[in-house]
Amino acid sequence: MSVQGLSPHGLNLKQFSQEFRAKTGPALLSSLDACVRCGVCAESCHYYQADPRPEHVPAYRAEAVRRILRTQDPWTRWFPGWFGAEPRRGRSDEEMLRALGDVIFGTCTQCRRCTLSCPMGVDTGTIVRTARGVLARHGLIPEGLKATVDAHLKTGNNMAVSREDFLDTLQWMEEQLQSDTGDPQARIPVNKQGARVLYTLNPREVKYFPLTILAAAKILYAAQEDWTFSTEAWDGTNYGLFSGEDDKAAEIARRLEAEAVRLGVQEVVMTECGHGYRSFRWEGPNWLGHPYPFRVRSFVELMAEYLDSGRIKLNPAANSLPVTYHDPCNLARNGGIIEEPRFLLSRAVREFREMTPNGKDNYCCGGGGGMLAMTEYSQRRLQAGQAKARQIAASGARVVVTSCHNCVDQLNELNRHYQLKVKVHNLCEIVADALVLAKAQRPAASGAAAQDA
Amino acid sequence: MVLPILVAAAFLFSLTALAVRLRPALALRKPDFSRPRGSAAAGVAYAYSIGMLPWTKQSGREHALAYVRGALFHVGIFLSFAVLALTLTPWLAGFPAGQRTGVALFLAVTCLAGLLGLWDRFRQRNLRALSVPEDYTAIVVVAAFVGLAAAAVRWPGLTGLFQAWSAWLLLYLPFSKLRHVWFFFFMRYFYGSHFGHRGVLPHPRMLEAR
């Protein structure tokens, strides 16, 4: 059900405005007042690239929020039309808020590419997220997004995978690891007290792509890492980032933090999940209001450290097709992880081709912002991926590598929709295939090659 | 004597009103509890320097003319405020006529740059859709301010008119989008410290980020 069919449970414009203002810190306040509606942010948005109409200009999206706020702004309310308050046009408050909901849930992935392009630095992604949070609090949230957050809070992971299924999958992958490495002592540790690293997963790995778990386990085995999974808090995702519900996002982060403290780990390593990394690495401490007593890194950073320090060795001959890399917005633009994946790929593949633009300027694939959970916006999402599809086609690569599960899903859909004829893989699969194991066991296909099979 | 007092009073009003509006932003940001990957200070330095160069961002590259036009207009606005300050002193009359004509011509060009922005707002579909009525009046008010500054520099007899218009501009400013003149500096600070802390801008080398 789209937001158009939902009722914001008595939320009116005044209440929306009050709750939004209550969540507004100094940075967001500046974002609200600094925009001069110059419109030069237009081309930075992948929605605009795919369908260049004014409604897809990022400033227009943020204006949708500002226009509602201006209806209650004591400085300008005496001349609302003049200063750009949302005209009522015979609509009720609920109808106006539903229209806003459609804009902020359905046309922005919070990728923040427009922020980097804005001459002021206006943070439209955060304006959108804050507005989502207020609407979600009153029930105006797409059902799929709400269900994903609620499942995480209720079951401990966003796909409601049972503990038995989780452990069965790990056991299966451990047997595969032993077979692939030829080492009957190779382990996938669970709940190991005092391990150095707590490794997290995205539930879709457990449910649909267990071979990415095997690929990661193989890399950790090759690096002789002291690591563990937890059965209590293994899901690194946090869709509270997308719903804008800070309280729920904080609770999800708190559980993972508590488990890391209980196990006494030195470091929490986030699986290749863009929003999970951003949520726990960057936003989590601020949602919780304190720093973590441990380090948090993406698996991409850890793999790069292994390679740089000689703990793993790679043979690029294992990946002979031309490869390009899609920078997940939450890793690159929102986390600064830009060189690490390129360093890994420079050693793991024969031929690497950059997309243009890339790094912090890379276009969002369209799968961020919780879009994959909001099926009512599927058509828009596929259309918004057009800029990315063009980039991939122009690169001439046969394999698209990325470090985000949502990106993988979206890129696979773009692959089918735009007939790109590429293969899409997580970075760890490519690295696992290129691993040169110390004991001379030839790694069986466990990463990208196995996924392809 | 009345007009300079009016300008000073309008300036004080403007400053006070903006301070009230800015109050939450004056608290600067809450502490960021996440472990830094880069440097917030370096990010702020970047945001106020290299990060403002048009070729460092897509918007600047794709809208180079608009960028130049906007920059020129803003130089004219700041220069006009300097002229306003000088009209409140006896010094302006002391400048040689040639210099005054040169400054007046430059201000006239920047005023034209502002009016071209107004033309763009009428002409371009995206800008029309984005604009509210106040967007048009704000440009007119400021372009007139710059134009009158040019006139007052060249023809001192128009100084009174320039001062009266300046007082109106200062009274109008806190209610208008023109208040971005203040928020710009806060915005760049928050932008720089946020992306600097995360090691995005400026981007440290991989090994430095560890």
Side-chain angles (χ1 to χ4, degrees):
Chain A
M1 186 187 283
S2 82
V3 288
Q4 294 300 337
L6 295 171
S7 170
H9 301 310
L11 181 67
N12 57 35
L13 299 186
K14 185 176 181 183
Q15 203 177 347
F16 173 86
S17 184
Q18 284 173 345
E19 290 186 21
F20 189 99
R21 292 282 179 195
K23 295 174 84 173
T24 303
L28 187 54
L29 178 79
S30 299
S31 277
L32 290 173
D33 263 5
C35 179
V36 292
R37 295 178 284 278
C38 65
V40 296
C41 52
E43 292 82 3
S44 66
C45 180
H46 52 292
Y47 280 89
Y48 186 86
Q49 288 284 343
D51 183 9
R53 54 193 171 95
E55 292 80 2
H56 287 161
V57 177
Y60 192 95
R61 219 166 274 142
E63 274 294 293
V65 179
R66 291 191 195 97
R67 283 198 301 267
I68 297 286
L69 296 176
R70 282 190 204 114
T71 63
Q72 308 299 315
D73 188 337
W75 289 59
T76 52
R77 66 191 300 180
W78 307 112
F79 305 96
W82 193 260
F83 288 105
E86 179 70 18
R88 190 165 280 281
R89 293 197 193 102
R91 295 173 298 171
S92 67
D93 283 12
E94 289 197 6
E95 286 168 324
M96 290 166 77
L97 291 171
R98 266 199 294 276
L100 174 68
D102 190 58
V103 172
I104 62 173
F105 282 106
T107 65
C108 178
T109 56
Q110 303 168 40
C111 76
R112 297 169 103 193
R113 193 168 188 275
C114 55
T115 301
L116 293 195
S117 198
C118 173
M120 300 279 185
V122 170
D123 190 351
T124 295
T126 301
I127 292 174
V128 164
R129 181 177 183 273
T130 307
R132 280 186 179 192
V134 177
L135 294 187
R137 200 172 121 80
H138 293 273
L140 195 74
I141 174 174
E143 191 54 40
L145 185 54
K146 181 181 187 307
T148 308
V149 178
D150 290 348
H152 200 146
L153 288 168
K154 192 175 172 189
T155 70
N157 68 84
N158 75 33
M159 289 180 121
V161 176
S162 70
R163 180 187 168 95
E164 291 70 32
D165 284 349
F166 176 61
L167 287 171
D168 279 352
T169 305
L170 293 189
Q171 190 178 351
W172 171 31
M173 288 304 110
E174 186 175 85
E175 288 161 10
Q176 280 295 123
L177 179 69
Q178 290 166 355
S179 164
D180 286 1
T181 59
D183 179 359
Q185 301 305 314
R187 291 276 177 271
I188 293 184
V190 177
N191 295 333
K192 183 182 173 189
Q193 195 72 34
R196 197 187 78 78
V197 165
L198 171 62
Y199 189 78
T200 64
L201 289 173
N202 181 314
R204 76 187 269 296
E205 294 179 84
V206 182
K207 208 148 183 169
Y208 305 119
F209 298 94
L211 292 179
T212 60
I213 303 175
L214 178 60
K218 193 179 282 183
I219 294 163
L220 292 161
Y221 168 84
Q224 299 183 316
E225 184 59 85
D226 176 17
W227 69 290
T228 187
F229 279 122
S230 160
T231 51
E232 304 309 306
W234 55 265
D235 183 357
T237 69
N238 191 339
Y239 272 64
L241 177 74
F242 300 141
S243 72
E245 298 163 293
D246 287 346
D247 51 345
K248 293 182 178 178
E251 173 57 20
I252 291 169
R254 189 197 61 75
R255 291 179 187 181
L256 184 52
E257 181 200 35
E259 184 61 2
V261 170
R262 188 186 72 78
L263 289 171
V265 299
Q266 295 170 32
E267 186 167 354
V268 174
V269 170
M270 309 303 291
T271 184
E272 290 185 80
C273 172
H275 89 274
Y277 164 77
R278 177 177 165 192
S279 297
F280 197 64
R281 167 69 174 87
W282 295 109
E283 318 295 352
N286 296 311
W287 289 329
L288 294 170
H290 60 252
Y292 300 134
F294 47 79
R295 189 179 191 189
V296 182
R297 276 196 290 179
S298 161
F299 191 42
V300 180
E301 294 172 282
L302 190 63
M303 286 190 288
E305 184 179 277
Y306 290 158
L307 183 62
D308 189 48
S309 60
R311 286 175 71 177
I312 60 171
K313 290 189 168 40
L314 303 179
N315 175 14
N319 296 298
S320 56
L321 293 174
V323 167
T324 189
Y325 181 74
H326 163 67
D327 289 277
C329 306
N330 287 319
L331 253 63
R333 192 154 39 245
N334 287 290
I337 300 177
I338 296 167
E339 290 180 351
E340 289 86 344
R342 287 165 176 79
F343 173 57
L344 287 159
L345 288 170
S346 71
R347 308 282 180 87
V349 305
R350 270 235 172 97
E351 186 182 352
F352 176 65
R353 300 178 181 185
E354 282 285 14
M355 285 189 234
T356 306
N358 57 60
K360 67 177 172 52
D361 295 320
N362 199 26
Y363 278 108
C364 174
C365 62
M371 285 298 162
L372 285 152
M374 299 185 276
T375 49
E376 58 270 52
Y377 301 125
S378 295
Q379 283 310 309
R380 288 187 201 172
R381 169 168 56 80
L382 284 174
Q383 189 188 28
Q386 202 180 82
K388 178 54 57 187
R390 279 195 220 116
Q391 279 191 293
I392 292 169
S395 76
R398 301 272 304 281
V399 179
V400 181
V401 175
T402 190
S403 299
C404 169
H405 289 286
N406 278 339
C407 293
V408 166
D409 283 349
Q410 169 75 348
L411 290 169
N412 273 320
E413 288 202 38
L414 295 181
N415 191 20
R416 283 191 291 274
H417 187 76
Y418 294 99
Q419 300 182 352
L420 298 171
K421 297 184 176 64
V422 293
K423 292 179 174 18
V424 181
H425 289 295
N426 272 302
L427 180 58
C428 73
E429 295 165 3
I430 297 291
V431 171
D433 278 353
L435 268 180
V436 180
L437 291 180
K439 290 180 183 171
Q441 294 95 342
R442 182 179 303 160
S446 62
Q451 295 281 15
D452 293 345
Chain B
M1 194 57 202
V2 175
L3 279 172
I5 291 171
L6 186 64
V7 169
F11 179 70
L12 279 177
F13 170 81
S14 193
L15 217 57
T16 309
L18 282 167
V20 171
R21 182 95 192 176
L22 275 166
R23 204 174 40 198
L26 289 171
L28 296 180
R29 51 182 312 121
K30 288 182 264 180
D32 191 331
F33 293 111
S34 59
R35 189 186 291 214
R37 181 182 159 90
S39 157
V44 172
Y46 177 90
Y48 283 117
S49 56
I50 299 166
M52 285 174 66
L53 299 173
W55 51 87
T56 60
K57 44 175 75 84
Q58 182 179 9
S59 57
R61 292 189 295 269
E62 298 203 11
H63 297 270
L65 273 178
Y67 240 90
V68 171
R69 180 176 50 64
L72 203 56
F73 188 39
H74 283 80
V75 169
I77 294 165
F78 283 107
L79 186 58
S80 298
F81 274 109
V83 169
L84 176 64
L86 282 173
T87 63
L88 303 176
T89 71
W91 301 329
L92 188 59
F95 282 87
Q99 282 183 15
R100 292 168 64 119
T101 305
V103 170
L105 279 174
F106 177 74
L107 283 173
V109 170
T110 66
C111 174
L112 190 66
L115 293 173
L116 282 174
L118 187 64
W119 171 245
D120 271 355
R121 213 167 261 282
F122 280 115
R123 192 176 56 88
Q124 292 182 17
R125 185 176 69 139
N126 285 350
L127 284 177
R128 272 201 314 275
L130 271 174
S131 297
V132 305
E134 207 271 317
D135 284 315
Y136 299 96
T137 52
I139 300 180
V140 170
V141 167
V142 178
F145 168 68
V146 177
L148 284 169
V153 169
R154 180 65 184 80
W155 298 291
L158 292 173
T159 300
L161 184 59
F162 171 54
Q163 288 176 337
W165 191 264
S166 301
W168 157 241
L169 167 72
L170 288 165
L171 292 172
Y172 178 64
L173 193 147
F175 304 95
S176 150
K177 76 166 193 176
L178 298 176
R179 58 177 176 255
H180 76 264
V181 67
W182 298 101
F183 278 99
F184 167 79
F185 296 101
F186 286 89
M187 193 71 259
R188 293 306 286 177
Y189 169 80
F190 293 127
Y191 168 87
S193 63
H194 179 80
F195 286 107
H197 177 80
R198 295 187 178 198
V200 180
L201 295 171
H203 180 61
R205 305 288 302 169
M206 185 177 87
L207 294 177
E208 291 169 17
R210 285 203 195 134

